[in-house]
Amino acid sequence: MGEPNAKLLDLSRVPKVREGFYATNNQFQKEGPKGFIEVKVLENDKLYVRVHLPGLPDDAVRVRVDSVRQKVVFFSGETVINKMEGVREYSGTAGLGCDCCEITGVDDVKMKDGVLRMILSRVKVNKDAQHNNNNKCTLTVPPFTGQSGIRLEDHPYIVKGRKDALFFAPIGEGGCFFAVDLPGACGDDDVVEVSADEDTVGFKAEVKNVCENDESARTYLGSMKSPFGSSDQPLNTTHAIDWDVRFGVLMILVIPLGDIPTITNNNNDA
């Protein structure tokens, strides 16, 4: 969809503290593991890989070890067709940045709610190479880049489709559609709230489940100033708000009263 005639203001991109956004990969993430990807060495010397792939179905990820050098794992996949924003395609790599080890296999692959998690086993093939006093190799790729800041990053593994965390499109006369990346969130087990007031649509998502290799759960919070609604005609009295969470993406439909919401069965009482 093209840009709407009316302006959309993502209020989450207006920093309220000196530190700016919580996460440069997602302006809506307030708590939880930052960064589009994380590769870290576990106590058993295996590698834990976490990648944000919002919109990717749980059974749609493809993973394979580089058969030539056995240094990295390739991952890829496509999101389901969305008539509003089309398809996003992902492709990337993660693994070793050393000369002393090789990946021997992927012990565990879990793709759930827009987050890919893998455990990679490895073996040392060059015992003469030493990287620290414990002779424990910690050279992984890509380097961990999760951080806070005021400048948002494009998703590095999207080769087709939108690369930022927010999508907006107008619908007919007086309606609009939002899609917000919330990796890790689902509509069943987590607390997801969507509300509307005079001219703003807000949401909050608390991810309850914590992976054993992640440092904490996740919390998302955001608000978007809609092109519709005013103090005289508040949005929550003139429009219906329908929403759903699929594969780590929150979809919000805002349509004038009288039209029939078509996203989901999750209707909010705004």
Side-chain angles (χ1 to χ4, degrees), residues 1-5 84 168-172 175-177 228:
M1 287 286 181
E3 293 293 327
N5 294 326
M84 297 302 301
F168 170 84
I171 299 178
C176 61
F177 171 81
F228 320 110

Side-chain angles (χ1 to χ4, degrees), residues 34-49:
K34 295 178 289 184
F36 293 106
I37 188 169
E38 178 182 11
V39 184
K40 66 181 180 182
V41 180
L42 302 177
E43 291 185 0
N44 60 8
D45 209 33
K46 293 184 178 182
L47 303 183
Y48 170 65
V49 180

Side-chain angles (χ1 to χ4, degrees), residues 187-217:
D188 297 329
D189 301 325
D190 301 323
V191 177
V192 180
E193 301 174 356
V194 178
S195 61
D197 55 20
E198 292 183 357
D199 61 355
T200 302
V201 177
F203 66 88
K204 181 179 181 180
E206 295 179 302
V207 180
K208 297 180 179 180
N209 295 326
V210 182
C211 173
E212 62 179 343
N213 294 308
D214 289 341
E215 66 267 23
S216 68

